[in-house]
Amino acid sequence: MASRSASGSLSYGQGISAGIAIGKAYVFDRGQARVAKYRLAEEGIEAELARFAEAVALSKEQLADVDRRAKNLSGAAEEEFYLLLQAHAQMLENSRLLRSVNAVIQHEKINAEAAVQAAMDQIAEDFRRIDDPYLSARLDDISEVGQRLIANLSGEAPSRFGHLDEGSIVIGHMVTPSDVALMADSNVAGFISAQGGAEGHTSILARALGLPGIVQASNVLGLVETGDNVVLDGETGAFIINPDAGQLETYRALQADFSEEVAQLALLRDKPAQTTDGERITLAANIELPQETPSVHQAGAAGIGLMRSEFLFMNRDDVPGEEEQFQAYKGLIEAMDGAPVTVRTLDLGSDKLASALAGHFEAADNPALGLRAIRLSLKEVDLLEAQLCALLRAATHGPLRILLPMITTPDEVRQVRAVMLRMVRRIARRGQAIPDPLPPLGIMIEVPAAALAADALARECDFFSIGTNDLTMYTLAIDRGNDQVSTLYNPLHPAVLRLIQFATAAADRAGIPINLCGEMAGDPRLTKLLLGLGLRHFSMSAPSLPRIKKQVLSLSMADCVHFAATIMTMTDARRITDAVMNDSVGLDDVPVALKAI
Ligand code: PEP
Ligand code: MG
């Protein structure tokens, strides 16, 4: 029996999909219990392997059925779900999961349910050791396929939400992506999951569907019973079980505000992003996979400002060759229909790893300072050659820019340009078309050395893109993935702001474009400062874009410049953060010594 003591009190998880949901709880707890384990006699092994093969076949049929149901979804949701089903279907072909289960049944002589559980536990353990956020998110997919197999082996039907009343809120230990897809077809208004990651497919799909959701609400199952009233805020991660009348009223008002905001933001889709005093601002999208383009179109993005090509290399056992990459980049360019596309060359290493290239990385005490990004591409030049050939060929199909990650010296840019010219000759020898002019070659400004050497670097390249995520990490010596120091990670530290300002001024002096593509670009509270620092081009996740556009439309460039000038006189990171987040600078914020100037 769940504890009732917390009724009406506010709890928090991680909000992953904005929106307010109010309704009755439906608690489901599939997949939490450990499966029964028993030993097999030698002569029972063949039959157990056959029973497992049947469960695999049934799982495939179920996925095909879910696929048919997903056709009712629209736009980005259908696209996301299609990709997800593809991934799951592949895991039911010849994956490590299936191979491991068969091996465990044969060698450990245990039943198939327990073998699936053991294989899942082992894969989870391996992924945890690699400590790659992308791989961790994929763990949700593996776990979902595993749970489906266990359910089919034990004759348990996968959960369905079709019977639930209008406005129900699903609460579970682990809400899976398939669960979310089924919710789309039902009366479910939102969900809270005790587990899950903000980057997993559950979260991605919830965002694509606009279904409010919370993950990592570790205490939720102890607080709630089916039938309780629940309110949840998918943006802040706040939820209340059995709210009182006043709390209900507050959340109803928030819900009405949110619906109004979404409707208003959608109206901005085709409106140019322009300040009140007429300065045009470019708002482009960041993507990880070419298939994300529908949501880029929905957001009204001016193009793709950052395609993180390393994601093409992850979650697979082999390296994508030139032809495969060419098809991916060409598809992206064609899907963007004339809008510019910026593809960043491989940024593997540090927290981003691809198993197919694991052999290239020796264990390092400080991987973020080691063989990462352009350093890997210049060391393993075959990788760079294949990628540049693919990009050059794709550039004959539309406007493409090539962006180099983690550049620290002009010589690295010169080396890449030399390889690029060599690849132009290679393509010509093959009789393939060469883009004319060649695609612009730009660099990420994401290491303090690059920001400080921006004048010299600007002479070697055609554009800059500031990566504030790494720039903050490397400037402040705070690992962006380390929870223990995460409170110190602050892109509004004056040292980071000065590097942004300096690089922007250097780009201006050299007459080359500069973009900002780190997470700062997607936070509307920072737009005023960034415009005031001289930036005019931004790139962010597609769902953030409409809010940034709204912010741009409300600002005057004169105010932005004045605001930024004041902020840049301030020296204390906490005071700066307060002033920027609350959009309030007072006389007290300007140091006494500077007041007279
Ligand atoms: C950055 O560092 O700000 C950036 C955009 O690159 P990534 O987040 O992929 O490292
Ligand atoms: Mg980076």
Side-chain angles (χ1 to χ4, degrees):
M1 177 101 176
S3 150
R4 315 294 300 184
S5 59
S7 290
S9 69
L10 198 58
S11 301
Y12 282 93
Q14 160 98 43
I16 47 93
S17 177
I20 307 285
I22 303 175
K24 294 259 183 241
Y26 170 66
V27 181
F28 83 115
D29 210 3
R30 170 177 49 66
Q32 196 183 9
R34 303 290 298 180
V35 297
K37 180 175 175 180
Y38 51 89
R39 289 196 72 76
L40 303 169
E42 189 67 46
E43 57 280 12
I45 291 176
E46 272 316 303
E48 196 64 3
L49 289 171
R51 194 168 77 85
F52 178 57
E54 265 173 41
V56 172
L58 178 57
S59 301
K60 285 188 202 165
E61 277 169 33
Q62 286 166 347
L63 283 185
D65 179 44
V66 180
D67 190 24
R68 278 189 289 279
R69 294 158 64 89
K71 296 281 182 283
N72 299 332
L73 304 175
S74 57
E78 194 204 336
E79 184 86 24
E80 280 295 352
F81 198 58
Y82 172 74
L83 293 173
L84 174 70
L85 287 178
Q86 293 277 91
H88 287 195
Q90 270 169 19
M91 274 183 248
L92 291 169
E93 288 304 332
N94 182 26
S95 64
R96 176 177 160 194
L97 178 66
L98 297 200
R99 289 195 300 274
S100 305
V101 174
N102 282 313
V104 172
I105 294 173
Q106 280 169 308
H107 300 127
E108 295 184 25
K109 303 184 180 49
I110 57 172
N111 60 314
E113 291 90 335
V116 174
Q117 185 67 60
M120 277 171 16
D121 290 349
Q122 184 57 53
I123 293 171
E125 181 53 35
D126 291 351
F127 276 28
R128 259 191 290 279
R129 230 176 293 129
I130 295 173
D131 194 21
D132 176 325
Y134 181 78
L135 287 183
S136 309
R138 302 292 77 78
L139 200 53
D140 291 352
D141 295 340
I142 295 173
S143 155
E144 169 155 20
V145 172
Q147 293 299 346
R148 182 183 290 283
L149 288 167
I150 291 174
N152 286 332
L153 283 161
S154 51
E156 197 187 294
S159 87
R160 289 279 184 273
F161 307 111
H163 64 288
L164 296 180
D165 292 336
E166 187 73 35
S168 295
I169 295 184
V170 169
I171 299 188
H173 181 70
M174 172 60 108
V175 173
T176 66
S178 284
D179 291 332
V180 177
L182 294 172
M183 289 176 205
D185 247 1
S186 73
N187 291 320
V188 172
F191 68 89
I192 306 177
S193 174
Q195 291 192 338
E199 305 306 324
H201 272 117
T202 295
S203 306
I204 291 170
L205 200 54
R207 284 194 284 271
L209 291 167
L211 188 70
I214 294 176
V215 298
Q216 291 167 23
S218 51
N219 62 344
V220 67
L221 289 169
L223 298 175
V224 65
E225 288 176 7
T226 292
D228 281 346
N229 291 318
V230 180
V231 297
L232 77 87
D233 181 338
E235 179 149 24
T236 62
F239 64 94
I240 305 174
I241 311 299
N242 292 322
D244 61 31
Q247 289 169 324
L248 259 181
E249 200 181 318
T250 306
Y251 276 83
R252 287 220 173 90
L254 285 172
Q255 195 174 40
D257 290 352
F258 182 79
S259 309
E260 178 59 25
E261 190 196 358
V262 171
Q264 292 301 324
L265 287 173
L267 299 177
L268 300 180
R269 188 186 174 280
D270 298 317
K271 213 174 156 72
Q274 183 167 306
T275 60
T276 54
D277 39 5
E279 187 83 37
R280 284 291 272 267
I281 308 300
T282 317
L283 303 181
N286 291 350
I287 68 167
E288 283 67 46
L289 291 170
Q291 296 90 331
E292 284 174 54
T293 44
S295 61
V296 175
H297 285 301
Q298 263 166 29
I304 293 186
L306 169 64
M307 191 246 178
R308 292 178 159 103
S309 71
E310 55 274 14
F311 282 81
L312 288 175
F313 289 67
M314 291 183 190
N315 208 25
R316 55 190 290 163
D317 294 331
D318 57 348
V319 173
E322 177 188 324
E323 188 57 29
E324 184 181 339
Q325 288 190 60
F326 163 67
Q327 293 298 344
Y329 306 139
K330 172 170 166 275
L332 188 57
I333 291 166
E334 287 172 349
M336 289 312 293
D337 211 12
V341 172
T342 303
V343 175
R344 185 174 68 185
T345 62
L346 202 51
D347 181 15
L348 283 174
S350 186
D351 64 335
K352 286 185 272 195
L353 292 175
S355 51
L357 292 171
H360 296 280
F361 301 99
E362 285 165 22
D365 286 343
N366 293 306
L369 307 182
L371 188 64
R372 181 185 166 183
I374 200 65
R375 300 171 183 181
L376 175 70
S377 296
L378 286 172
K379 180 163 181 276
E380 305 296 336
V381 85
D382 289 0
L383 285 174
L384 181 63
E385 288 179 357
Q387 185 159 36
L388 288 176
C389 277
L391 286 166
L392 287 165
R393 288 168 57 199
T396 60
H397 294 267
L400 176 77
R401 307 194 309 169
I402 301 175
L403 178 60
L404 308 176
M406 211 189 168
I407 291 289
T408 53
T409 69
D411 187 53
E412 287 165 333
V413 189
R414 284 194 285 268
Q415 286 185 56
V416 174
R417 213 181 271 284
V419 178
M420 185 160 131
L421 293 176
R422 195 149 47 76
M423 292 310 103
V424 169
R425 292 194 292 276
R426 181 181 290 180
I427 292 171
R429 276 199 304 279
R430 291 180 193 156
Q432 289 166 325
I434 297 167
D436 182 20
L438 291 178
L441 186 65
I443 64 164
M444 292 288 290
I445 301 285
E446 54 183 347
V447 178
L452 292 167
D455 287 299
L457 285 164
R459 288 196 282 277
E460 300 295 335
C461 68
D462 304 311
F463 66 97
F464 285 163
S465 194
I466 307 182
T468 49
N469 309 337
D470 279 317
L471 189 61
T472 305
M473 166 165 100
Y474 289 122
T475 304
L476 304 182
I478 310 281
D479 184 342
R480 64 195 253 199
N482 184 338
D483 281 358
Q484 288 179 299
V485 285
S486 61
T487 51
L488 297 171
Y489 181 93
N490 183 6
L492 292 173
H493 188 293
V496 181
L497 296 182
R498 280 180 196 162
L499 292 173
I500 294 174
Q501 188 182 41
F502 186 79
T504 307
D508 257 14
R509 283 192 288 277
I512 61 169
I514 180 161
N515 176 56
L516 190 147
C517 63
E519 290 303 298
M520 285 180 96
D523 186 338
R525 296 167 302 179
L526 310 185
T527 310
K528 186 173 182 180
L529 172 64
L530 296 173
L531 289 175
L533 290 175
L535 287 152
R536 299 291 178 269
H537 307 283
F538 300 93
S539 180
M540 66 210 74
S541 71
S544 315
L545 200 147
R547 278 188 185 177
I548 300 296
K549 189 184 279 187
K550 184 175 173 213
Q551 186 73 332
V552 168
L553 290 166
S554 75
L555 292 168
S556 96
M557 193 54 80
D559 281 354
C560 296
V561 169
H562 185 258
F563 181 73
T566 311
I567 293 292
M568 295 310 283
T569 65
M570 294 164 64
T571 51
D572 180 65
R574 201 169 318 155
R575 294 281 291 274
I576 293 176
T577 309
D578 265 7
V580 173
M581 293 308 192
N582 303 312
D583 187 11
S584 69
V585 284
L587 260 189
D588 286 353
D589 292 316
V590 182
V592 179
L594 292 174
K595 275 187 184 148
I597 298 174

